[in-house]
Amino acid sequence: MRLFGAMEYLIVTVGNDGTLHGMRLQRRHKRLTVIRALEVPPDERSAADRLADLCRKLDRRRDMTLVIGAAFPGAVFFRSRMPEMSPRELASALQFEVPQQVLKLPPEWALQFTADPADEEGMMNVGVQVTPREELNRFCDLLAELRLQVDDCISPFLALPELPAGSRVFLPLFEPDFYWADGSFHPAAAGIHCNDEAVELLKKEFDFADGYREENFRKFLPELLIARFVAAPGFRHRKAGLELLPKQLRPQRLRSQLRLAVILLVLLLGMWLWNAGGNILSFHSEYSSITSRTAGYKSRTTEIQRRMRSRDKELKEMNRVLEQNFGDREMPVTLARIANVIPAAVLVSSFRITDTGIDLTLHTTQENLDIGPALRKVPGFKVATLQSRKVNDTLSMITVKLNRTGEVK
């Protein structure tokens, strides 16, 4: 089934003498093109065989819109003016209007109607077709025998367009004795020109695939009228009053439903993609925010760690300073005593105090200086080591180590 291809129609008419006309049409570039048109005259075959043969020659497919126009014996068509109302209300009102318009009604009858838009006065022109129920049942039996499902059964008089005043429409296969003009039927007679205005209107809307021929528009006028009526944009609003066949003979038209299903699936897919895109954007935004916050936290953590390491170094330095032994209170006195015993000719170049004693490095230019006796006079210390060596010809270096004795005089 071609869901979004060109719309195709199959129009079949059954004349009052058994003549069958069939027409296959396709909408192209806002115009209707007749792909094929056939006529099947009466012969020895049954109506079912001839109708099946016509549909086969027209290459009927299930996805085509099939409309049949049948000339039911005893059917009556008339037009009336009714106030503007809904299709359901109009059907009820016509049940009372039909007996006033039709002189002789069959015991049981079926009603079809189509209404034009209301005028400024709020009145509608309504076309009404009354069909004997017996003839309709016979036609339904024929369709059931063929297992042929039909979208609609419409008389070409119901499909008559609005024509200029004085226009005459003559459809001999449906009404051989009368033509339609100015809202009523008139006796047909030789020499009366009919269908000119209707043909000129149809020429503006239809093309024939095999080329233009004037006789085609006149020969297949009923089928063209029905096709124009069915293919009109407002046909769906008129179907409420045109349904004549029982439900089991009408197809379950899936084309529109499948189109809607495809459109809904596309919309659902679009909504899913929209939501997925929104979720991705939200996730990306949230991820970027978390990444940015994480980078900020890492930067702050690095700075805090750097500060902690700096504070830790400062703390270790302070602890080292606090843990240092600066000596006892007698140390200045000891230093003074050492300074007093060292001769003036001696330069103290290094002086280091430790927990166990004092290390001295002395330089002097005096020869044969014996400084050991002088240092032994320092109370609380004893000379542990004393070494002397010549640095050069005039300068000597003396290294002395004094150990604590714990006794202070």
Side-chain angles (χ1 to χ4, degrees):
M1 181 178 292
R2 297 174 297 176
L3 297 180
F4 298 98
M7 191 70 177
E8 293 193 8
Y9 302 90
L10 194 65
I11 310 299
V12 177
T13 60
V14 182
N16 50 21
D17 61 350
T19 302
L20 299 181
H21 281 185
M23 180 177 290
R24 178 182 171 188
L25 304 98
Q26 187 180 82
R27 181 174 291 281
R28 295 179 180 176
H29 308 294
K30 297 183 180 181
R31 290 176 63 86
L32 288 170
T33 300
V34 179
I35 306 299
R36 187 177 301 172
L38 298 175
E39 179 182 13
V40 179
D43 54 28
E44 67 281 357
R45 294 178 299 171
S46 65
D49 293 337
R50 291 190 298 113
L51 184 57
D53 181 60
L54 177 62
C55 293
R56 183 169 57 254
K57 290 180 179 179
L58 292 174
D59 297 329
R60 173 184 174 268
R61 298 193 309 270
R62 291 185 178 272
D63 61 325
M64 294 180 179
T65 299
L66 175 59
V67 180
I68 292 182
F72 295 108
V76 178
F77 174 79
F78 66 89
R79 296 189 69 88
S80 177
R81 285 181 61 82
M82 303 287 290
E84 184 178 7
M85 59 185 71
S86 66
R88 180 175 298 181
E89 295 172 340
L90 185 58
S92 300
L94 289 175
Q95 295 291 334
F96 298 96
E97 182 72 12
V98 168
Q100 301 178 13
Q101 297 287 341
V102 182
L103 298 178
K104 185 178 180 181
L105 278 173
E108 295 183 3
W109 46 275
L111 177 68
Q112 284 181 291
F113 63 89
T114 177
D116 296 333
D119 56 16
E120 298 178 355
E121 300 177 355
M123 300 296 290
M124 302 185 301
N125 291 323
V126 183
V128 184
Q129 174 90 8
V130 179
T131 304
R133 180 66 65 178
E134 181 180 358
E135 298 296 334
L136 177 61
N137 293 338
R138 187 178 294 111
F139 180 71
C140 292
D141 293 339
L142 174 63
L143 297 179
E145 179 183 352
L146 293 174
R147 296 182 180 180
L148 189 63
Q149 293 183 326
V150 181
D151 288 87
D152 291 288
C153 182
I154 302 174
S155 168
F157 290 108
L158 284 170
L160 286 177
E162 184 177 353
L163 297 172
S167 301
R168 293 181 290 271
V169 178
F170 182 48
L171 305 177
L173 292 180
F174 288 84
E175 185 57 64
D177 300 324
F178 298 90
Y179 66 85
W180 179 266
D182 297 330
S184 62
F185 284 102
H186 304 270
I192 299 178
H193 294 283
C194 299
N195 302 331
D196 293 339
E197 294 81 5
V199 169
E200 291 300 322
L201 175 64
L202 295 175
K203 287 180 182 178
K204 300 177 183 179
E205 302 181 15
F206 287 86
D207 295 320
F208 279 82
D210 57 353
Y212 168 77
R213 288 196 298 270
E214 177 77 18
E215 61 269 18
N216 285 339
F217 285 94
R218 296 186 177 274
K219 181 178 181 180
F220 296 100
L221 180 60
E223 294 76 33
L224 293 174
L225 291 174
I226 295 175
R228 179 183 182 275
F229 181 71
V230 172
F235 176 69
R236 290 184 179 181
H237 302 287
R238 297 184 173 187
K239 288 194 67 173
L242 294 172
E243 293 184 354
L244 184 65
L245 300 178
K247 186 176 182 180
Q248 61 270 20
L249 294 178
R250 288 184 278 119
Q252 300 296 324
R253 184 61 62 195
L254 299 179
R255 185 183 181 116
S256 300
Q257 287 81 352
L258 289 177
R259 280 181 178 176
L260 292 176
V262 171
I263 293 173
L264 289 176
L265 287 177
V266 171
L267 291 176
L268 289 175
L269 180 61
M271 292 177 62
W272 182 82
L273 292 176
W274 178 270
N275 292 333
N279 293 335
I280 292 175
L281 291 177
S282 176
F283 174 79
H284 177 71
S285 177
E286 185 176 357
Y287 176 78
S288 300
S289 176
I290 293 175
T291 303
S292 177
R293 291 166 60 186
T294 303
Y297 290 148
K298 287 183 178 179
S299 176
R300 292 175 59 184
T301 302
T302 303
E303 179 67 18
I304 291 173
Q305 290 176 347
R306 185 188 66 79
R307 291 182 181 179
M308 288 180 64
R309 288 194 295 267
S310 177
R311 298 294 187 270
D312 187 55
K313 289 181 181 179
E314 292 179 4
L315 179 61
K316 289 181 179 179
E317 183 66 19
M318 293 178 64
N319 289 334
R320 189 184 67 78
V321 173
L322 291 174
E323 291 175 357
Q324 288 182 349
N325 187 0
F326 294 99
D328 52 22
R329 297 179 180 179
E330 299 297 332
M331 186 56 65
V333 178
T334 300
L335 293 175
R337 288 175 179 176
I338 293 174
N340 290 330
V341 300
I342 294 176
V346 176
L347 173 66
V348 180
S349 60
S350 176
F351 182 88
R352 188 167 69 88
I353 299 175
T354 64
D355 294 337
T356 59
I358 299 174
D359 295 331
L360 294 172
T361 301
L362 308 175
H363 288 81
T364 183
T365 58
Q366 186 177 349
E367 296 182 359
N368 301 321
L369 177 63
D370 188 8
I371 198 172
L375 293 175
R376 292 187 182 95
K377 296 178 182 180
V378 179
F381 292 91
K382 66 177 181 178
V383 178
T385 60
L386 191 152
Q387 297 178 355
S388 177
R389 66 183 182 86
K390 293 288 270 185
V391 178
N392 53 37
D393 294 339
T394 60
L395 182 64
S396 300
M397 184 179 68
I398 303 172
T399 303
V400 181
K401 183 174 180 59
L402 302 177
N403 292 336
R404 297 178 184 274
T405 60
E407 299 179 359
V408 179
K409 298 182 180 180

